[in-house]
Amino acid sequence: MREKTLLCVIILTITLALLSSCAASRAIVQQDINSIRPVMKAGGEEDKAVIIGIEERNRTVEDSPAWIQNAYEGLKIRRLNSVSEKEYEDYRKFLENGAVYVIVHPGYFPFFQYKDMPAEEKQPEEDYLGKKNVVERLLSVPPPDINFSVLQAQERRTRDFLEYKSTEEKLIIIVLPRNYKSFKGYVYKNGIDEYARYLNEVTNLSKSVLFVESKSASRGYLLESDMVRLLEFLSSIGAKKVYVGGGYIGRCLEDFYIDISDVYGSEDVFIVPELSDVSPRELKGGLARGLLMPDGTIDVGVATQNLKTEAYGTQEIRPKLRNLP
């Protein structure tokens, strides 16, 4: 009798473990995808006012056919090289406690890798350009597995961060893939410029957002002349810290981090785990399950630990890390 009871307990334990594992592996659907969830801890009426303002602008200004048409007609944010030295001082006020944010290759997965995006369903009376940008359409796709859920969570987090910080007019420098429109990997190469529309929307035409281009569309290093310009700019405005995010960990993100650390000084350059994307190639085993919270957000603690322990197997260095407050 005792042996049967023990056997039942063992079977029950194994069954519960399997069920738990299956539950943890289930895809998680992003909820309320039009709402903004700030990556940094929100608190107080000021934060709520920023979010309300972003969502109102998205529903009204950026949903108008005229605005959407204009958003497709090239990037509206300024190239760093177009900012004269006389203008540098104007950007000092956009620093956040002396820090500048650098986002490397934002949206790389939906714009340069994901080729199965379903067409947007539109009513006959709607403008042919459609209401949703590519990232909004990606977030609307029912995730087939937990890996895809993580990729969606990463894109939502980046979108929300750019929306929030550009509205606050904090200094952000975006590293874009060089000549992305002619890059063979650009999914929308033969159509209207979806990447330009997305970037114009999430940066809200903010004066505090600038861009530079990486040396190539598949690496994160800058041309030497562009790096010199960036360093002159950061020095002139008195930037004390450089917070780096984007994609991918151990790839283009690491390229840029190494590049700027070599010349700017590694003491003041940090990778931000909660802003750093994992490549689809590295989402295997239990990594995806660990990264995703039950509410569909990225687990900051796990993301940080994975970078510390080089869990993805692609890192050549162990970078300095800094979590957002």
Side-chain angles (χ1 to χ4, degrees), residues 36-48:
I36 300 298
R37 298 188 301 212
V39 177
M40 301 174 82
K41 294 178 182 177
E45 295 303 316
E46 184 178 347
D47 296 302
K48 293 177 183 177

Side-chain angles (χ1 to χ4, degrees), residues 28-297:
I28 296 178
V29 177
Q30 291 289 315
Q31 300 296 322
D32 302 320
I33 62 174
N34 293 323
S35 65
I36 300 298
R37 298 188 301 212
V39 177
M40 301 174 82
K41 294 178 182 177
E45 295 303 316
E46 184 178 347
D47 296 302
K48 293 177 183 177
V50 172
I51 294 172
I52 290 171
I54 293 168
E55 293 175 348
E56 177 66 19
R57 176 183 170 88
N58 290 345
R59 282 194 306 269
T60 56
V61 175
E62 295 182 4
D63 263 1
S64 72
W67 199 98
I68 294 172
Q69 178 69 55
N70 185 54
Y72 280 114
E73 296 172 359
L75 288 171
K76 310 303 178 184
I77 55 178
R78 290 186 71 179
R79 184 190 294 268
L80 176 60
N81 287 353
S82 75
V83 179
S84 68
E85 293 182 11
K86 292 181 180 179
E87 296 177 277
Y88 284 176
E89 186 62 29
D90 297 337
Y91 287 85
R92 185 184 292 269
K93 63 179 178 289
F94 299 135
L95 291 169
E96 181 156 55
N97 299 320
V100 56
Y101 299 99
V102 179
I103 305 298
V104 181
H105 295 176
Y108 202 85
F109 173 68
F111 291 99
F112 298 93
Q113 290 183 297
Y114 185 55
K115 299 179 180 179
D116 299 321
M117 186 77 73
E120 182 180 359
E121 294 183 9
K122 300 189 290 291
Q123 299 301 317
E125 67 274 10
E126 287 183 342
D127 187 271
Y128 78 99
L129 295 174
K131 294 286 187 182
K132 294 180 180 178
N133 64 42
V134 163
V135 169
E136 290 168 338
R137 286 161 56 194
L138 178 78
L139 297 179
S140 301
V141 174
D145 53 40
I146 194 73
N147 290 10
F148 198 86
S149 291
V150 171
L151 296 170
Q152 288 178 314
Q154 291 182 157
E155 293 305 328
R156 181 173 187 176
R157 171 211 56 202
T158 300
R159 178 202 71 176
D160 291 356
F161 176 81
L162 290 172
E163 287 266 24
Y164 193 87
K165 286 300 172 186
S166 65
T167 299
E168 282 194 316
E169 293 195 334
K170 301 305 180 186
L171 185 56
I172 301 169
I173 297 174
I174 296 176
V175 180
L176 297 182
R178 181 168 294 275
N179 298 324
Y180 72 85
K181 286 189 287 187
S182 59
F183 177 48
K184 64 180 180 180
Y186 182 36
V187 176
Y188 302 94
K189 177 181 177 181
N190 297 320
I192 51 180
D193 194 352
E194 294 287 358
Y195 199 34
R197 173 185 174 176
Y198 167 69
L199 292 169
N200 288 331
E201 288 188 357
V202 297
T203 58
N204 297 294
L205 307 184
S206 174
K207 295 177 292 184
S208 69
V209 182
L210 301 168
F211 79 90
V212 295
E213 290 183 312
S214 55
K215 187 179 294 187
S216 72
S218 57
R219 298 305 298 261
Y221 300 110
L222 303 190
L223 292 174
E224 184 177 348
S225 58
D226 288 335
M227 180 57 74
V228 169
R229 185 69 176 234
L230 176 58
L231 293 176
E232 289 175 347
F233 175 73
L234 295 177
S235 177
S236 296
I237 65 174
K240 304 299 183 186
K241 306 290 181 186
V242 180
Y243 296 150
V244 185
Y248 289 124
I249 293 169
R251 300 176 185 274
C252 297
L253 174 60
E254 186 169 274
D255 289 346
F256 180 82
Y257 176 82
I258 292 173
D259 204 9
I260 194 170
S261 295
D262 285 346
V263 290
Y264 191 77
S266 59
E267 289 301 310
D268 300 316
V269 182
F270 304 86
I271 284 183
V272 181
E274 56 266 50
L275 294 180
S276 302
D277 292 346
V278 184
S279 166
R281 295 178 183 177
E282 276 72 73
L283 285 175
K284 47 195 171 186
L287 288 175
R289 288 195 301 273
L291 280 168
L292 209 58
M293 299 283 282
D295 64 356
T297 59

